[in-house]
Amino acid sequence: MITTPADIAAAISILNAHARAYGCGKEAIYAYKKVAALIDARAGIAQARPVGVLAECRNCRGTGLFFSWYEGQSNERCRTCSATGKVYLRFVETTISGHRWHHPYIDAGLPILYAALGSPEINFDAGARDLINKYKDGRCERRPFESAGDWQPNAPGEKLEAERAAELLNLVEGWISTLGGADVPQTWPLDYARQCIKTYALELGCVGEACHYCGAGDIKTRFGTWSKHLRWSHPVCKDHADMPSTQWDKTPPLDALGPHARAWLARRPSEAIAA
Ligand SMILES: [Zn+2]
Ligand SMILES: [Zn+2]
């Protein structure tokens, strides 16, 4: 049975922190992480366990009073957390080649736990808030959601530079592309992970330091633009800051790409030059 190679697990861990910081390819990275965890779960080496965390309610920012993004703080009770300011979140924690990962219970967590436990029937006991696992040999086991220790969801991430992100994405996507056949059950989200390879853009950040149109060093703003697979911005001086977007230079800045970013783009031959 296949397992997730250690260098792939290490790359996904770094990309996972990049995704948390809203780095490019966020959805794709979570899809690759899910497939990698499923593979080790099925091989019996993922050490999957259900964990629960009491976290600050994001809807009211912990105040217990409803917060509107348009109108600000209100005096209404927050319904998400019943005005307690806290929400109880469930995850499945895995250890993949020594890296500790957390998967939201309902989305990725449940199928990972199912694979790790040898496909029992898993039922949620809403009264006790435990899981009751019924195994094929008739054995029944109650599993509480354990403490996640010092881990908290939404910990700050670390966004990678385009070249480093491309290097790690090339590695992980190369591996994802080799998977298939009997190695991976049909029910697993491998097709979705493959789709994700094609559907995000590499974020190059700001390309250049002087005004893109006249070379002036006094920068007033940046014009952000994109092609099919790249996103970038150009620095612009005050004289060019009012240029209509129809006149912006939207030619992908291919000269700004490093070798890993070039290899990343070469795997996407449909790159369209026009925005
Ligand atoms: Zn709340
Ligand atoms: Zn200028």
Side-chain angles (χ1 to χ4, degrees), residues 57-66 78-87:
C57 173
R58 292 170 103 187
N59 269 15
C60 64
R61 307 196 292 188
T63 63
L65 297 173
F66 181 71
C78 176
R79 290 184 198 171
T80 307
C81 62
S82 304
T84 60
K86 299 272 182 197
V87 285

Short mmCIF file of all heavy atoms in Angstrom, two decimals, residues 57-66 78-87, ligand 1:
data_model
loop_
_atom_site.label_atom_id
_atom_site.label_comp_id
_atom_site.label_asym_id
_atom_site.label_seq_id
_atom_site.Cartn_x
_atom_site.Cartn_y
_atom_site.Cartn_z
N CYS A 57 -15.62 33.14 18.72
CA CYS A 57 -16.64 33.20 17.66
C CYS A 57 -16.26 34.30 16.68
O CYS A 57 -16.05 35.45 17.06
CB CYS A 57 -18.01 33.47 18.28
SG CYS A 57 -19.29 33.75 17.05
N ARG A 58 -16.18 33.95 15.39
CA ARG A 58 -15.76 34.94 14.39
C ARG A 58 -16.89 35.87 14.00
O ARG A 58 -16.67 36.94 13.49
CB ARG A 58 -15.22 34.23 13.15
CG ARG A 58 -13.91 33.52 13.44
CD ARG A 58 -13.52 32.63 12.30
NE ARG A 58 -12.48 33.22 11.49
CZ ARG A 58 -12.06 32.70 10.35
NH1 ARG A 58 -12.62 31.60 9.88
NH2 ARG A 58 -11.10 33.26 9.67
N ASN A 59 -18.14 35.42 14.22
CA ASN A 59 -19.28 36.26 13.83
C ASN A 59 -19.45 37.47 14.74
O ASN A 59 -19.92 38.51 14.31
CB ASN A 59 -20.57 35.43 13.84
CG ASN A 59 -20.82 34.82 12.49
OD1 ASN A 59 -19.93 34.78 11.65
ND2 ASN A 59 -22.02 34.34 12.27
N CYS A 60 -19.07 37.31 16.01
CA CYS A 60 -19.23 38.45 16.94
C CYS A 60 -17.87 38.87 17.49
O CYS A 60 -17.79 39.73 18.36
CB CYS A 60 -20.17 38.08 18.07
SG CYS A 60 -19.55 36.76 19.11
N ARG A 61 -16.81 38.26 17.00
CA ARG A 61 -15.44 38.53 17.44
C ARG A 61 -15.29 38.38 18.96
O ARG A 61 -14.61 39.15 19.62
CB ARG A 61 -15.00 39.92 16.96
CG ARG A 61 -15.21 40.06 15.44
CD ARG A 61 -14.47 41.19 14.85
NE ARG A 61 -14.98 42.48 15.28
CZ ARG A 61 -14.59 43.64 14.76
NH1 ARG A 61 -13.68 43.65 13.81
NH2 ARG A 61 -15.08 44.76 15.19
N GLY A 62 -16.01 37.37 19.49
CA GLY A 62 -15.85 37.04 20.91
C GLY A 62 -16.65 37.89 21.87
O GLY A 62 -16.59 37.70 23.08
N THR A 63 -17.45 38.84 21.35
CA THR A 63 -18.17 39.75 22.25
C THR A 63 -19.52 39.19 22.69
O THR A 63 -20.10 39.64 23.68
CB THR A 63 -18.45 41.11 21.57
OG1 THR A 63 -19.30 40.88 20.44
CG2 THR A 63 -17.16 41.77 21.10
N GLY A 64 -20.06 38.21 21.92
CA GLY A 64 -21.40 37.69 22.22
C GLY A 64 -22.51 38.54 21.62
O GLY A 64 -23.66 38.15 21.66
N LEU A 65 -22.13 39.69 21.06
CA LEU A 65 -23.12 40.58 20.44
C LEU A 65 -22.88 40.63 18.94
O LEU A 65 -21.73 40.73 18.49
CB LEU A 65 -23.02 41.99 21.03
CG LEU A 65 -23.32 42.09 22.53
CD1 LEU A 65 -23.03 43.49 23.05
CD2 LEU A 65 -24.78 41.73 22.80
N PHE A 66 -23.96 40.55 18.19
CA PHE A 66 -23.87 40.46 16.74
C PHE A 66 -23.08 41.63 16.16
O PHE A 66 -23.29 42.79 16.52
CB PHE A 66 -25.29 40.43 16.14
CG PHE A 66 -25.29 40.31 14.66
CD1 PHE A 66 -24.92 39.13 14.04
CD2 PHE A 66 -25.64 41.39 13.88
CE1 PHE A 66 -24.90 39.03 12.66
CE2 PHE A 66 -25.61 41.30 12.50
CZ PHE A 66 -25.25 40.11 11.89
N CYS A 78 -25.56 37.36 19.65
CA CYS A 78 -25.01 36.58 18.52
C CYS A 78 -25.64 35.19 18.55
O CYS A 78 -25.57 34.49 19.54
CB CYS A 78 -23.49 36.48 18.63
SG CYS A 78 -22.76 35.45 17.35
N ARG A 79 -26.24 34.79 17.41
CA ARG A 79 -26.91 33.48 17.36
C ARG A 79 -25.92 32.35 17.11
O ARG A 79 -26.17 31.21 17.46
CB ARG A 79 -27.95 33.47 16.24
CG ARG A 79 -29.12 34.36 16.58
CD ARG A 79 -30.18 34.24 15.51
NE ARG A 79 -31.09 35.38 15.59
CZ ARG A 79 -32.01 35.64 14.70
NH1 ARG A 79 -32.14 34.86 13.65
NH2 ARG A 79 -32.81 36.68 14.84
N THR A 80 -24.80 32.67 16.48
CA THR A 80 -23.82 31.62 16.17
C THR A 80 -23.29 30.97 17.45
O THR A 80 -23.12 29.76 17.52
CB THR A 80 -22.65 32.22 15.37
OG1 THR A 80 -23.18 32.91 14.25
CG2 THR A 80 -21.69 31.15 14.91
N CYS A 81 -23.04 31.79 18.47
CA CYS A 81 -22.42 31.26 19.69
C CYS A 81 -23.36 31.37 20.89
O CYS A 81 -22.93 31.22 22.03
CB CYS A 81 -21.12 32.02 19.98
SG CYS A 81 -21.38 33.77 20.28
N SER A 82 -24.66 31.64 20.66
CA SER A 82 -25.64 31.84 21.74
C SER A 82 -25.13 32.87 22.73
O SER A 82 -25.27 32.72 23.95
CB SER A 82 -25.93 30.53 22.48
OG SER A 82 -26.38 29.57 21.56
N ALA A 83 -24.49 33.90 22.21
CA ALA A 83 -24.02 35.05 22.99
C ALA A 83 -22.91 34.71 24.00
O ALA A 83 -22.64 35.48 24.91
CB ALA A 83 -25.18 35.76 23.69
N THR A 84 -22.26 33.55 23.82
CA THR A 84 -21.17 33.19 24.74
C THR A 84 -19.82 33.72 24.27
O THR A 84 -18.86 33.76 25.03
CB THR A 84 -21.04 31.66 24.86
OG1 THR A 84 -20.76 31.14 23.55
CG2 THR A 84 -22.32 31.03 25.40
N GLY A 85 -19.73 34.10 22.99
CA GLY A 85 -18.45 34.58 22.44
C GLY A 85 -17.51 33.45 22.04
O GLY A 85 -16.43 33.69 21.51
N LYS A 86 -17.92 32.20 22.31
CA LYS A 86 -17.05 31.05 22.00
C LYS A 86 -17.80 30.04 21.14
O LYS A 86 -19.02 29.88 21.31
CB LYS A 86 -16.62 30.34 23.29
CG LYS A 86 -15.82 31.22 24.23
CD LYS A 86 -14.37 31.15 23.89
CE LYS A 86 -13.54 31.98 24.86
NZ LYS A 86 -12.21 32.24 24.34
N VAL A 87 -17.10 29.38 20.28
CA VAL A 87 -17.70 28.28 19.52
C VAL A 87 -16.83 27.03 19.69
O VAL A 87 -15.61 27.13 19.84
CB VAL A 87 -17.83 28.60 18.01
CG1 VAL A 87 -18.98 29.57 17.75
CG2 VAL A 87 -16.54 29.14 17.45
ZN ZN B 1 -20.75 34.91 18.45
#
